[in-house]
Every structure is written in structure tokens, then in C-alpha cells.
Amino acid sequence: MAAHMRRRLRRGATTTAVAAAAVAALAASQAPAATLSEGSAGGDPQAAGEDTASAGNDGAATGNSPYYTDLPPLVTPDRPGSSSNLPAAGRAEAGIPATILAAYKQAERTVATTDPTCRLPWQLLAAIGKVESGQARGGRVDADGTASPRILGPALNGQGFALIKDTDGGAYDGDAVHDRAVGPMQFIPSTWASWGQDANGDGRKDPNNIYDAALAAGRYLCANDRDLAVSADLDKAVLSYNRSTEYLNTVRSWFSYYQRGTHEVPDGAGTLPTTPSTPLPTLPGPRPGSGPSVTPSPKPSPSKPGGKPSPSPSKPGGGSTSPTPTPTPKPPTPPTGEPTPPAETFGSLENAGTGPLRATAGASFDERVSVRARNALGAPLAKAPVTFTVTGDTGTLFAGGKKTVVVRTGADGTATAPELRAGEKAGEFTVTATAGIGRPRTLTYAATVTARQADAIARTDDKELVAVSGEKFTDAVTVRATYKDAAAPGVAVTATMVKDRLGVIDNDKGPYFEDEAGKPVRTLTGLTTDADGKLRLPDIHADGEAGTYLLRLTTEGGGSVVVELTVKAPAETAPEEPASPKAPKATGTPQAVKP
């Protein structure tokens, strides 16, 4: 994150008085104040001992977005089984919406399994969630835990906050000019890109989902081997989230408040702090449910020592008076020049499950490139044109012989390219998917074409191969390559003169081939089988030394064969002279000779 985020530029109406008020609030609640690490005065995180090396991110998770500055009420929360004679405000403020509370506790359990030395307490996540978004605006989330409407901070355009130019093409925050903090835990897109989690198992890392956001926040707070049971490490963790000592003190006050007790309330019924440091703009649209809105209970003024909360005004005789209707404030309007994007604005492009792209030369790829487009709200975007392009020199093309095709997304936001057909040249290439106007989103897939293979190669005849020294072999060597017993056309074959049948030692004597210049060579490459898997080798010449020699042929895929070549001296091949005439054999029965 840019170095200009290392210091807070401005925080609206929040002042250092919040720190003093936080300590006063804690003291008045009859609980020990959370101890801040030494030297934590001031907004410079280094003054508070903050370590800024969080996965290469030297800025705060929220990008110095606004936060709620309200402090907990000056009463102890109503623990289960404790006194019920507490002000209603105390019980309401201690209530956390059911889904929000479940997400915090799930994040605590997950981190305890993967990083037990961090000792992350869910109450710290609750404190940050309270200060950042009022527990997702009092628990206004859908059944899956996703904020609806989504929660956006103002544009981080350098006017009152840090200047962070767009890092996500508006995919998360709908703003293609500047970044905005997103979701219940208010992550800026660049931080979410590094720390985002999929805690609810839906295959998406969604900063608007409280389960995903709470786990991401937990892991972020635990970075740099922090032990959050140590006060100094906890301070560093909170300051890494938002680089402000006032922010730290406010979070600390809510952390201590929730540690003393809390309870679950229905989603949508949580109380909201009265005023954030700067209003949080949201996308237009109805709140979830479309039913009557839940009005938070008013926060009573602290009573004097020994006094009681002032009752609501009543009519004579005990009847309650009707309160004067309060006009509903209009939602804040986004700054001029930065309109809130409609739902169908292109948001992001993601892989829709494309597997490894590999094929043998000349064959079709089993996998097809598939992408999914989403709108600015993260929902599938239909009818969006996606351009698929093949880049490389393998000769691979889409079905129909095209290197570029355009496919529109379907109702589920997916677009699948036509079948790829591998060229004849082995090697690597890429397929690029591009969608979106103005600032297009691009996905690139690596693909590989492997050479044709043969698992066996053999001679087509068994003739003895003989030549006289200095002459050519009269019979050519012809072989046939197969793959799984079928002819293997287009397979590369290498022919090498060797000394041993395994072909480990090359031979620089004996028979040889000739190159284009007529010079002897004893290894030939680039030979290829024909359509029937057959290959006829070029002429083989015998040099002056007689003997038995070996020629080894190998194929891509492991096929090999060794052929014997016999070279004879000229004298061994001269025609035989006719034999001398023999005397005719005697016929008849030999007679005995008398002495």
C-alpha cells in the first residue's frame, strides 16, 4: 500500500478528546480500563510501537476511512444471570445481531485452529465491527450473512482522507477512479486482495459477507506473530487496522465493554451509533425485508449519581404522549463526479472452473476456457461480451480456425470459449479472456501442446542389413510407430549410432548418415512418421571398418528399437574360385590284393 497512507490526513470531527472520553467511559463502567502500550499518544503508529510489515502492506486495512466515534454506555452490560435492573440502553447496546455474532465466534474458532498462539478474542472483532460499521448497520444482512445493501466508505480521493487510486477496477467498491473501504469490516480493495477469505464455503471471497470479512480481519490482526493476549501486541494489531490513536482508544473501549457481557439480538435489530466521523455512502435501494424499519432505541443521557433515567413524558392519567414524528433523513449523496454505479455495471471477471489446458499436437483439448462475469454488486452479469484470444506459435486455434472469438455470458454470468484444437508444433501458448469497457478485466490461461507420442516402434521386416566397407547398405531401414497398438502418425523419431543396446554410449565410428552438405553424421533428429506411422530412414553408409554396429531409434512417448548393421571387408565378399577337378570315384566292389 502506498507510503502516503502511513499518516492520517484528517478524521472529520474526531479529536483527541475521544481518547480521554474512552478512558472516562471505562472508569465509569466500574471495570478496569484497557491498558494502552507505552508511548501510544498521537496518531503516528510508530510512536505506539506499530509494526507495519503486514504481508508487504505498509498501510492500514481500512485506508483511513471514517468510523463511528460513539463510546459504550456508562453501564455494565447485562450478562446472562446478572441483575436485570439495568437501563434499557445498556442491554440494547450490548446486543449483537445473531448472524454477526456467529461470524465473530466462527472466526475466533478458525484462527484458534490455524494460529493458536495469536489467541484472537471474538470480542475484539466485535469491537472493530461496531466502530467500523455499527455491526453491519445493526445486522442488516441476508440469510448468507452478506450486507444488503453493501456498505461503502467514501472515495479515498485525498480530500479529507488518504489518496488511493483505484486498485480493483471497481470490482469490489464500484468505483473505477478511487478505492473505497468495503463491507462490515471496511477493507480497502488492495488489502482485501491480500487478506480476503472464504469463510462460508461458497467459493467466493466477499468483503461484504460478514463471515468472510470477520475471518479476514482476524487473520490480519494476527499478522507478524502477534499474541493478542499481550496488550502491546493488541495495540499494534488495532493500529495496523486504522492508524489513529483515537481509533485505538475507541476500539479498546468497546472491546472491554463486550468482554464484560453481551447477548444476541435478531438480525436487523441491533442499535446503531448516533454519528459516524463522516457519513458512509451506500448504493441506492430498499433495505432488506421491505417491511417496517426497526428504529433503534434512543440512547439516554447519563443520569446523575444516584439518579434514575428520566421516564418518557406521559399524559395526565398515565397515558403516553405520542412522540413528535422525526423526518427520515435522506441517504447521503455521493460526491459530484463520482456517481454510484448501477447494479449492471461490469464489476469483475473470474475463472469459472477451467482446468489444465494440455493436448497432444493435432488433437482437441479436453478442457474449454470458461469465465464468469459479475456486476458491481458481485452478482452474475448476463449478456456481457467476452473476447477470447489465442496467442502463441503452436498453431493452436479455436474450432472454426479462428484465433479470436467473442462469446456473451449467459444468465449465470458464464461464457465458455469454443473447443481448442492443438497445432502441430509442440510448445506453450496462452488464451486471454477480456471483458468490460473503459477499464477491461483480463484473465490469462497458460496452455501446452505436447508432441505426438508413440509407445512402441519396430522394423517392418527382418532382413539382415549388410554392407561392404565404403559402400551403402543396399536395404533401407523402415520402421513403424504405434501408440496403444494403433498407428502413430506425425511422431518425431531420433536415429543414433550407439555402442550398446541401451543406447547410453554414442558411437563415432562405423556406419553413418550424410547431412545436406554430404558430411557424415551419426545422429538424425526431426524425422517424422507418415500417416500410417511408418518411417523410411535415409541411406546409411559404411565406413572402412568391418564389424557389427548398432542403430537405436527412439520416439516421443518412450518407444525404442535397436537395429543391427553388419559391415564386411571387401575380401569377405569376393566371389569364390571354382574348386579343382576331383578324380572320379571308383565304382564296384574293391578286390582284395594278394600278397
Side-chain angles (χ1 to χ4, degrees):
M1 203 169 294
H4 57 251
M5 289 183 56
R6 295 181 62 85
R7 292 182 181 272
R8 180 183 182 81
L9 300 181
R10 181 164 65 90
R11 184 56 75 183
T14 307
T15 68
T16 55
V18 175
V23 175
L26 292 170
S29 63
Q30 299 119 16
T35 304
L36 302 184
S37 58
E38 292 182 4
S40 61
D44 187 346
Q46 294 298 339
E50 165 61 2
D51 52 330
T52 59
S54 297
N57 183 350
D58 64 354
T62 64
N64 292 332
S65 289
Y67 56 85
Y68 287 102
T69 58
D70 285 32
L71 297 173
L74 305 182
V75 292
T76 301
D78 186 5
R79 279 184 180 276
S82 63
S83 172
S84 60
N85 297 322
L86 293 173
R91 290 195 300 273
E93 288 291 349
I96 299 178
T99 299
I100 312 301
L101 182 60
Y104 295 150
K105 291 184 176 181
Q106 176 178 295
E108 179 191 62
R109 291 191 300 270
T110 301
V111 173
T113 300
T114 59
D115 189 5
T117 60
C118 175
R119 296 193 281 183
L120 169 73
W122 68 261
Q123 292 91 343
L124 179 59
L125 297 175
I128 290 176
K130 178 72 170 179
V131 173
E132 290 292 347
S133 67
Q135 310 297 20
R137 296 198 196 93
R140 287 166 174 77
V141 294
D142 62 19
D144 296 322
T146 302
S148 180
R150 62 177 177 168
I151 303 170
L152 291 177
L156 297 174
N157 55 13
Q159 300 177 18
F161 301 102
L163 172 61
I164 307 179
K165 294 184 178 180
D166 175 60
T167 60
D168 66 330
Y172 293 119
D173 56 12
D175 190 332
V177 179
H178 297 98
D179 271 348
R180 300 170 182 257
V182 183
M185 305 304 280
Q186 288 289 278
F187 278 95
I188 56 174
S190 57
T191 306
W192 184 259
S194 299
W195 292 91
Q197 303 290 315
D198 176 18
N200 61 354
D202 65 353
R204 296 182 57 204
K205 297 177 181 179
D206 185 1
N208 293 288
N209 181 276
I210 186 59
Y211 290 98
D212 294 357
L215 181 57
R219 296 200 188 285
Y220 184 90
L221 293 167
C222 287
N224 298 316
D225 298 320
R226 299 188 186 107
D227 180 354
L228 300 183
V230 177
S231 182
D233 278 5
L234 189 143
D235 288 350
K236 291 176 182 179
V238 176
L239 284 171
S240 75
Y241 211 90
N242 194 311
R243 298 181 179 283
S244 162
T245 302
E246 292 85 356
Y247 178 85
L248 169 62
N249 291 334
T250 307
V251 169
R252 275 285 205 169
S253 65
W254 281 106
F255 176 48
S256 294
Y257 182 73
Y258 287 137
Q259 281 185 313
R260 293 193 301 277
T262 185
H263 58 272
E264 179 183 300
V265 298
D267 289 346
T271 62
L272 283 174
T274 55
T275 308
S277 59
T278 299
L280 299 175
T282 62
L283 289 178
R287 292 186 178 273
S290 302
S293 61
V294 178
T295 304
S297 303
K299 187 175 178 180
S301 302
S303 59
K304 294 181 180 180
K308 296 182 179 179
S310 300
S312 301
S314 60
K315 294 182 180 181
S320 299
T321 58
S322 299
T324 303
T326 303
T328 303
K330 295 181 179 180
T333 303
T336 303
E338 297 173 7
T340 301
E344 292 307 300
T345 298
F346 194 95
S348 62
L349 191 66
E350 62 190 39
N351 185 359
T354 306
L357 297 171
R358 298 190 184 94
T360 302
S364 296
F365 284 75
D366 292 334
E367 287 285 330
R368 293 171 63 181
V369 178
S370 183
V371 299
R372 178 176 291 106
R374 296 188 183 277
N375 62 24
L377 298 178
L381 181 62
K383 299 182 180 180
V386 180
T387 301
F388 297 93
T389 304
V390 174
T391 303
D393 60 354
T394 65
T396 302
L397 299 170
F398 290 113
K402 298 181 179 180
K403 297 192 75 171
T404 300
V405 294
V406 178
V407 180
R408 288 189 175 273
T409 57
D412 61 350
T414 61
T416 301
E419 180 183 66
L420 281 167
R421 293 181 180 172
E424 290 299 331
K425 182 177 179 182
E428 296 182 349
F429 67 98
T430 60
V431 179
T432 302
T434 305
I437 300 173
R439 182 167 179 168
R441 296 0 166 233
T442 299
L443 288 178
T444 300
Y445 299 81
T448 303
V449 176
T450 58
R452 294 174 184 259
Q453 297 184 350
D455 54 16
I457 185 171
R459 288 185 63 192
T460 57
D461 59 58
D462 57 0
K463 289 183 180 180
E464 185 180 7
L465 298 169
V466 180
V468 178
S469 297
E471 301 293 336
K472 292 191 299 184
F473 283 79
T474 55
D475 292 311
V477 177
T478 303
V479 293
R480 181 173 182 267
T482 58
Y483 182 71
K484 295 182 179 179
D485 297 327
V491 174
V493 178
T494 300
T496 307
M497 300 297 175
V498 294
K499 291 184 177 180
D500 61 303
R501 286 191 171 275
L502 294 178
V504 177
I505 304 172
D506 291 355
N507 197 349
D508 59 356
K509 301 183 185 308
Y512 61 88
F513 302 101
E514 289 185 350
D515 63 11
E516 293 179 356
K519 295 181 179 180
V521 293
R522 290 183 168 83
T523 298
L524 285 182
T525 58
L527 303 172
T528 307
T529 59
D530 63 16
D532 296 323
K534 293 182 179 181
L535 170 65
R536 178 189 174 99
L537 267 63
D539 291 339
I540 302 175
H541 302 263
D543 64 4
E545 296 191 22
T548 299
Y549 298 89
L550 301 175
L551 168 64
R552 185 170 186 257
L553 297 104
T554 58
T555 68
E556 290 286 343
S560 68
V561 65
V562 175
V563 178
E564 284 192 0
L565 303 172
T566 302
V567 177
K568 294 185 178 182
E572 296 178 43
T573 58
E576 295 183 356
E577 295 182 2
S580 300
K582 295 182 179 179
K585 293 182 179 180
T587 60
T589 303
Q591 297 179 359
V593 178
K594 294 182 179 180

